Structures are given as C-alpha cells and as structure tokens.
Amino acid sequence: MFCGAQLSLYPMTDRFVDIILQAIEVFKHTDGIRLETDDLSTCVIGTPKKVFEVAQGLFQPAAVTGVHVVLNALFSRGCPGEPDDPICTPCTPDKPATEADLIDLSTLPSTGIPVSAQYSLYPLGAENYMEHIYQQIDEAKKEGTYGGGKHFATRLEGDLGKVFATLYNAFTRTSLVAGHVVVHATLSANSPSRKKNEK
Amino acid sequence: MFCGAQLSLYPMTDRFVDIILQAIEVFKHTDGIRLETDDLSTCVIGTPKKVFEVAQGLFQPAAVTGVHVVLNALFSRGCPGEPDDPICTPCTPDKPATEADLIDLSTLPSTGIPVSAQYSLYPLGAENYMEHIYQQIDEAKKEGTYGGGKHFATRLEGDLGKVFATLYNAFTRTSLVAGHVVVHATLSANSPSRKKNEK
C-alpha cells in the first residue's frame, strides 16, 4: 500500500535556508525511501516506519539548534489514485498493521527536547470516522502525550520522541479500521510564545 | 453550522515575533469573529467568508514585507462535536451554500503578490469522497490557479487573492455534497527555492 508524507520545516530565523538544506541533505542517500523536494515541501515515500523516521530526523536536528522551528507534516497511507510503489510493499492491504507495529512509549529514550504539537486525524470514506478519532484521543491520554483539545485538532505535549510515537501509533492503529488514513501534524520547538495553560 | 480555521504564520526571519503579532493585532477587535491564539496557531470562528478573509488578511501584509513567509491553514465546517456558535448561524445546514456564495475569480482585482500553495480537501464521512476531490481539481483548472498534482495534495499557483478564492470555492462547493468538510492549505510567498517546473 502506498504510504508517504509531505514535510515542511520552518526555522524562524534569517538562516532558514541553511537549516532546511542541511536537514534534507542527511536523507538524500537513505535506502528504502524516495525523496522529492520542491519550494513547498519534501515528499517522502516509504513504509510508515521509515516515513516517520525521516520526519523526526528532519525536525530533531533543527530543534537542537535552539531556533524556533516548526515542522508541518501530512502523513498519508492507502490513498486511492496514488501509484503503488515497490518500497511501500511491506505494508500491503493483505498485511495490515498489527499491535507489534506499535511503539511502546514507556521504552523510548528521552530526546531531551520538549515540543508542543497539534494534529488532526482523517479516516477517509468511513461513516463512523469520529469514533476512530475519539479512540486515538483516548490512546494519547494513556500514552501521556495528550495536551488538551482544540477546535478541529488535538494538542500533544512532551518529549519530541514520544510525540512522534503517539502520531505514528494513531496513524498505524487507524489503518486497522480504515483503508485511507491521513494525519496532519504541526510540531513546534523553542517557541517564545506562552502555551495557553501556562501562567 | 460551526465553521472556523486554525491559522499559523511562519515568517522565516529573526523578526518573526513582530510580524506575527502585528498580523494578529489587526483582527483582535473585528466584529463577527472569535479569535483564540496559543503557541501553535490562531483559531478563528465565524462564517466561511469571514474566516477566509481573516486568513488572507493575516498572510497578505506579511507577504508584502518581502520576507519568505508561509501560512498554514486548517479550514473546517460542520465538524460533529464542535459547539454551535451564534456567529456561525448564517451557514446553518438548512441554509446551505449556493452558487451565489462562490467567488468569480475573473472579477477579482490583483493583489500583485504571486504565491505558491498546496492543499488537501477532505469531505468526511462520504464514501464517494475521491469524486468530490477530483471535481475541485477540475474547478481549479477552470479558475486558472491549478499548478499540478503532488502526492497527497494539489498545487495552486497565481495571484494571492485568486489562490485564496480557489480554496474558498473548493471548501464552499464541497459543503453542498458533504456535511463535514476540511481543507488543509499551505501558502508560500517570497520563497528563494525554485519551483519544480522552473528551469
């Protein structure tokens, strides 16, 4: 099944070009993924695990610089009309995701980088899609990354690695119940703005 | 029917705080909308027309500065579970959008600001959702803003005002056939990167 992401990195600094190009350069010769960059985003095609690894691998080094940086990501799997790609075949519909594909957040080492995020989950073509969305909100609560509701999105808070794991798990779990799943996520590090719940 | 957006402005400059705060300040006392800002985005609640006006009104002055700036927007209408808001009542389900609500792009004055954009349209809970998506791609071609397909998204190109009008029209037209409609859009101005189709 075709799986990939459109990833955009926004470093809020005059040096944004260097930070973006350095981040993308790291993945230019990575096996098992296909990369396409234009002026709006970098498309990465591969298995869900690889695609999330690239997303985290783009964002984490940029966040480490201390600059306020945002990653905007669209993750998609099973989109009709997209070509079936050989590098995506490990996640064919006849070999769906299982519990074993999920990440246990309690075993993850800390990256030491706190992030704020918001994401929206879209199980397409499913009448009971809201039910699937609410289930993943409950899962984020159990995983300890839930940061509260917002209009049209769910807030996540915590260590960078754990927030990516919650996003990956929501994407993967929902693929067990819907053929075409999309996650839009915004992750922010080093923001000078106060979070709403901060005094 | 509840309608709104989550809007994030990313000016790629050391002066990002000033540009963002100035952009939001303009709308702090605007009638007929509700505004909530946290460290990730500004939520605006109102009628579809008002919500798109605010989105354009945040982005356009920032784009005029000449700085590379990106607007990331999530537009949503008819989301179940959201509170019904008095300021959204002009677009109740029993008073759906009509052809008269659409913008005729040929009558729009030019803003003089060229932008690149990509967007994804999600008619939720509809089995034939791909059909609705393809219809709006055809409409963008007629409107002259279609910039080509990408994985998981459609590219738009052209004058800032016309690109916003295509997004608004796609959002509005799709609401005639689906109760819950979401558009995720990324608009970019003054990017130093080459577009894929540029030599």
Side-chain angles (χ1 to χ4, degrees):
Chain A
M1 185 187 42
F2 199 71
C3 177
Q6 291 287 358
L7 306 170
S8 304
L9 198 62
Y10 304 123
M12 256 61 80
T13 166
D14 293 347
R15 299 176 292 109
F16 70 95
V17 174
D18 288 345
I19 293 177
I20 294 172
L21 294 183
Q22 279 170 19
I24 298 171
E25 189 61 33
V26 173
F27 293 99
K28 276 212 165 147
H29 307 289
T30 305
D31 286 341
I33 60 164
R34 194 152 54 82
L35 225 60
E36 289 165 19
T37 299
D38 67 13
D39 59 324
L40 289 165
S41 58
T42 291
C43 179
V44 50
I45 305 296
T47 62
K49 218 152 221 168
K50 280 273 186 192
V51 165
F52 273 82
E53 269 170 32
V54 173
Q56 182 169 345
L58 279 177
F59 184 57
Q60 191 163 328
V64 166
T65 65
V67 158
H68 174 33
V69 62
V70 169
L71 177 78
N72 199 264
L74 180 177
F75 300 99
S76 176
R77 57 187 290 165
C79 181
E82 295 284 355
D84 203 24
D85 203 289
I87 57 178
C88 303
T89 44
C91 55
T92 51
D94 51 319
K95 200 181 164 194
T98 67
E99 287 291 323
D101 292 313
L102 300 176
I103 298 170
D104 178 356
L105 271 72
S106 69
T107 65
L108 277 184
S110 169
T111 66
I113 307 164
V115 299
S116 292
Q118 66 193 30
Y119 86 105
S120 302
L121 169 67
Y122 305 111
L124 277 308
E127 263 189 49
N128 57 341
Y129 65 100
M130 287 303 296
E131 203 179 291
H132 303 320
I133 294 169
Y134 292 136
Q135 274 169 9
Q136 298 316 312
I137 293 173
D138 284 343
E139 294 287 351
K141 287 177 183 170
K142 286 184 217 161
E143 291 175 344
T145 49
Y146 180 76
K150 296 184 62 158
H151 289 303
F152 324 124
T154 299
R155 195 178 172 95
L156 300 176
E157 293 285 346
D159 185 77
L160 187 147
K162 288 188 194 276
V163 167
F164 269 103
T166 288
L167 292 170
Y168 167 81
N169 282 350
F171 186 67
T172 304
R173 275 192 217 99
T174 309
S175 74
L176 299 172
V177 290
H180 181 189
V181 179
V182 176
V183 162
H184 277 263
T186 300
L187 294 99
S188 167
N190 313 315
S191 170
S193 299
R194 206 171 51 167
K195 292 170 204 165
K196 214 180 167 186
N197 51 354
E198 280 177 345
K199 299 291 167 208
Chain B
M1 185 185 46
F2 199 71
C3 177
Q6 291 287 358
L7 306 170
S8 304
L9 198 62
Y10 305 123
M12 256 60 81
T13 166
D14 293 347
R15 297 178 291 110
F16 71 96
V17 173
D18 288 345
I19 294 177
I20 294 172
L21 293 183
Q22 277 170 22
I24 297 171
E25 189 61 33
V26 173
F27 292 100
K28 278 211 164 146
H29 308 287
T30 305
D31 286 340
I33 59 164
R34 193 153 53 83
L35 226 59
E36 290 165 19
T37 298
D38 67 13
D39 59 323
L40 290 164
S41 59
T42 291
C43 179
V44 51
I45 304 296
T47 63
K49 217 151 222 170
K50 280 273 186 192
V51 165
F52 273 83
E53 269 171 32
V54 173
Q56 181 168 345
L58 279 178
F59 184 57
Q60 189 164 329
V64 166
T65 64
V67 159
H68 174 33
V69 62
V70 169
L71 177 76
N72 199 264
L74 179 178
F75 300 99
S76 176
R77 58 187 288 165
C79 182
E82 295 284 357
D84 203 26
D85 203 291
I87 58 178
C88 304
T89 43
C91 55
T92 49
D94 52 319
K95 200 181 163 192
T98 67
E99 287 291 321
D101 292 312
L102 300 177
I103 298 170
D104 178 355
L105 271 72
S106 69
T107 66
L108 277 185
S110 169
T111 65
I113 307 165
V115 298
S116 292
Q118 65 193 29
Y119 85 105
S120 302
L121 170 66
Y122 304 112
L124 277 307
E127 263 190 48
N128 57 342
Y129 66 99
M130 287 303 296
E131 203 179 290
H132 303 320
I133 294 170
Y134 292 136
Q135 274 170 8
Q136 297 316 312
I137 293 173
D138 284 342
E139 294 288 349
K141 287 177 183 171
K142 287 184 216 160
E143 292 176 343
T145 48
Y146 179 76
K150 296 184 64 160
H151 289 303
F152 323 123
T154 299
R155 195 178 172 93
L156 300 176
E157 294 284 345
D159 185 78
L160 187 148
K162 287 187 195 280
V163 167
F164 269 103
T166 289
L167 292 171
Y168 167 81
N169 282 349
F171 186 68
T172 303
R173 276 192 217 98
T174 309
S175 74
L176 299 172
V177 291
H180 181 189
V181 179
V182 176
V183 162
H184 278 263
T186 300
L187 294 98
S188 166
N190 313 316
S191 170
S193 298
R194 205 171 51 167
K195 293 171 205 166
K196 211 178 168 186
N197 52 353
E198 280 178 344
K199 300 292 170 208

